[in-house]
Amino acid sequence: MKAIYTLLLIGFAMFSISAIQNNKPGGEPEKIKWYTWDEAVALQAKKPKKVFVDVYTDWCGWCKRMDANTFTNAELAAYMNKNFYPVKFNAEQREMIEFKGTKFEFKAQGNKGVHELASELLNGKLGYPSFVMLDEKFSRIAISPGYKEAPQMLKELKFAGENIYKNTDWATYSTM
């Protein structure tokens, strides 16, 4: 019986340590603070940071899986919030966006359509989910298509967030 209590106590201690390491002070898991495009642009004007854009659609199963699995990772969320303005951008949204003097609108295509800003961000290569990392001047650093687990996504974020892309290409960095 004493061995069972000891094992329970060790298990509880390990769980508590893990929870402390993966949570913010107060026990809440770190969550990504998502912004709209316009909110990120406004924040960028006040305090420049890189911008991470999650280009998704409502019907995309892999996008939903990213939200449920990858973007809930506490380490990834903390890094994203510290180094980027994270933006959720629905590639099929209907609202017009004006950015740098250009109006971007939804364009119907067949049964669906695409927002011109999504197409511009993704360089016309539409696939979901896709992620775009932009520098402080909204110049594209990288486009990253497809589902990613948290460790892979974090590596890509660090490539942009720590300016590694300025001295090393992705092919070299990704094998490090």
Side-chain angles (χ1 to χ4, degrees):
M1 192 70 149
K2 194 173 187 179
I4 292 173
Y5 287 124
T6 303
L7 287 173
L8 286 173
L9 184 60
I10 290 170
F12 178 74
M14 291 175 67
F15 174 78
S16 297
I17 290 168
S18 174
I20 290 168
Q21 289 174 341
N22 290 318
N23 291 340
K24 299 186 298 188
E28 292 276 327
E30 181 91 22
K31 294 181 181 174
I32 296 173
K33 168 63 174 127
W34 293 104
Y35 298 98
T36 66
W37 179 263
D38 290 336
E39 289 171 333
V41 170
L43 288 166
Q44 186 74 344
K46 294 176 187 174
K47 183 182 175 194
K49 262 206 256 196
K50 291 179 176 65
V51 177
F52 174 89
V53 186
D54 173 11
V55 184
Y56 73 97
T57 63
D58 290 333
W59 50 263
C60 169
W62 288 107
C63 301
K64 292 173 184 169
R65 191 167 175 185
M66 288 285 300
D67 288 340
N69 298 330
T70 305
F71 292 137
T72 57
N73 179 278
E75 182 182 4
L76 185 139
Y79 189 86
M80 180 97 69
N81 290 335
K82 180 180 177 185
N83 296 286
F84 293 86
Y85 291 120
V87 173
K88 279 276 193 197
F89 195 88
N90 186 339
E92 296 176 338
Q93 75 178 23
R94 306 287 175 148
E95 299 82 25
M96 187 272 295
I97 292 177
E98 188 168 345
F99 178 65
K100 292 187 175 183
T102 301
K103 291 182 180 182
F104 296 93
E105 299 179 300
F106 175 82
K107 296 294 181 188
Q109 296 175 347
N111 293 335
K112 297 191 189 250
V114 66
H115 197 279
E116 291 174 315
L117 185 55
S119 184
E120 179 73 22
L121 288 168
L122 296 175
N123 206 24
K125 297 176 183 170
L126 303 174
Y128 313 106
S130 286
F131 314 99
V132 182
M133 287 168 265
L134 306 168
D135 69 13
E136 295 82 354
K137 296 179 181 173
F138 290 95
S139 295
R140 188 172 31 235
I141 296 169
I143 299 172
S144 177
Y147 177 82
K148 314 244 180 329
E149 294 288 338
Q152 182 183 2
M153 182 92 273
L154 188 57
K155 186 167 189 155
E156 291 184 23
L157 289 172
K158 288 180 178 182
F159 179 71
E162 296 171 15
N163 295 320
I164 296 167
Y165 71 95
K166 291 183 177 182
N167 299 313
T168 306
D169 63 42
W170 174 251
T172 303
Y173 177 72
S174 67
T175 61
M176 295 177 154

